[in-house]
Amino acid sequence: MQVYEHQAQYYETDQMGIIHHSNYIRWFESARIWYMSQIGVDYRDMEQQGIISPVLEVSCTYKSMVHFGDIVEIIPKIEKYNGIILELSYLIQDQKTREVRTCGKSRHCFLNRENKPISLKKSCPTFHAAFQLAMEAEQR
């Protein structure tokens, strides 16, 4: 299980002193990029090879509040991957109490420089294999 840690910053809070809802989506993105690097798929390398992975869909369910200074663990997990579409889930929990704060999902595709959909299996077998191995490991 890969765990990405984040300490809630003051600038991320809203007028009520809690983390503004839009920041959780940013945290998902940060955790996704970090996770990809952990499994051997560096996003910068992907872009240098002419591959981008835009967001097709994102959802977030808020369970309990995160406040300034709280440290949360974000656990990304590949839910579905077929070489063309990548779906991840995210669990955000308080580092100390393990209370679930937020959970969500994101769905991505892969495009070339001309913004045409591609299959990583054909275009970049190394990245494809890394995603496959990570997904299989998480399913055990």
Side-chain angles (χ1 to χ4, degrees):
M1 175 172 55
Q2 304 282 336
V3 177
Y4 176 79
E5 290 183 5
H6 179 79
Q7 183 167 14
Q9 302 299 308
Y10 183 77
Y11 68 84
E12 295 173 314
T13 62
D14 62 15
Q15 198 170 23
M16 297 178 287
I18 59 175
I19 299 304
H20 188 270
H21 65 275
S22 66
N23 287 300
Y24 295 94
I25 305 302
R26 290 183 177 104
W27 295 358
F28 291 170
E29 179 74 6
S30 294
R32 178 176 71 96
I33 299 301
W34 172 86
Y35 174 80
M36 287 172 59
S37 71
Q38 299 300 300
I39 65 168
V41 182
D42 186 84
Y43 198 82
R44 183 174 289 131
D45 290 346
M46 279 181 60
E47 286 188 335
Q48 288 173 349
Q49 293 185 38
I51 302 168
I52 58 170
S53 182
V55 175
L56 298 173
E57 183 179 348
V58 66
S59 65
C60 190
T61 303
Y62 307 97
K63 303 284 189 181
S64 60
M65 297 175 219
V66 176
H67 297 87
F68 165 63
D70 289 352
I71 298 174
V72 294
E73 296 177 342
I74 305 167
I75 304 165
K77 179 183 176 192
I78 297 174
E79 295 293 336
K80 184 177 178 184
Y81 172 74
N82 64 10
I84 300 167
I85 300 292
L86 172 66
E87 294 181 11
L88 294 106
S89 64
Y90 308 89
L91 177 70
I92 299 180
Q93 63 185 17
D94 185 273
Q95 187 183 53
K96 289 181 185 172
T97 67
R98 299 287 186 243
E99 181 181 359
V100 174
R101 302 295 187 188
T102 309
C103 54
K105 294 182 179 184
S106 65
R107 191 162 67 96
H108 309 263
C109 67
F110 300 97
L111 304 177
N112 63 17
R113 284 190 173 101
E114 292 76 38
N115 293 325
K116 304 281 187 213
I118 60 170
S119 167
L120 280 188
K121 187 174 185 177
K122 295 176 186 173
S123 300
C124 191
T126 306
F127 292 153
H128 174 73
F131 281 123
Q132 281 290 137
L133 285 171
M135 184 175 67
E136 291 168 7
E138 290 171 357
Q139 291 174 351
R140 287 185 217 138

